[in-house]
Amino acid sequence: MKKFVRSETYARTRLVTGTMFVLLGGLLLGQIVVRFGPDWHAIPAYVLGLALVLLGLNRWREYNIARRNR
């Protein structure tokens, strides 16, 4: 299992899922802003969208670190 986790394929897979998280989070944030605007009832949706974007950015950062270490 350790060999697979350190492989380039696994790193690219995490990069792809990170990209999907960023796109999904951005889409969610965009839809909430367009539909509700700055409404305090939409705070959970804002937090979820921001969490998805940050998770995706963290996966991109991890991919860059793994690529530099090779």
Side-chain angles (χ1 to χ4, degrees), residues 15-45:
L15 179 68
V16 169
T17 58
T19 302
M20 290 187 321
F21 287 149
V22 168
L23 293 175
L24 184 62
L27 180 68
L28 178 67
L29 286 173
Q31 287 293 318
I32 296 301
V33 167
V34 168
R35 289 184 185 191
F36 298 109
D39 185 15
W40 68 274
H41 287 91
I43 289 176

Side-chain angles (χ1 to χ4, degrees), residues 6-68:
R6 293 180 185 157
S7 70
E8 182 68 24
T9 303
Y10 183 71
R12 270 189 252 125
T13 303
R14 289 182 58 90
L15 179 68
V16 169
T17 58
T19 302
M20 290 187 321
F21 287 149
V22 168
L23 293 175
L24 184 62
L27 180 68
L28 178 67
L29 286 173
Q31 287 293 318
I32 296 301
V33 167
V34 168
R35 289 184 185 191
F36 298 109
D39 185 15
W40 68 274
H41 287 91
I43 289 176
Y46 290 132
V47 170
L48 176 63
L50 184 61
L52 284 170
V53 170
L54 293 176
L55 176 64
L57 293 176
N58 187 42
R59 291 213 170 172
W60 283 352
R61 183 186 62 85
E62 289 175 353
Y63 174 75
N64 286 330
I65 290 171
R67 194 176 64 188
R68 266 188 254 138

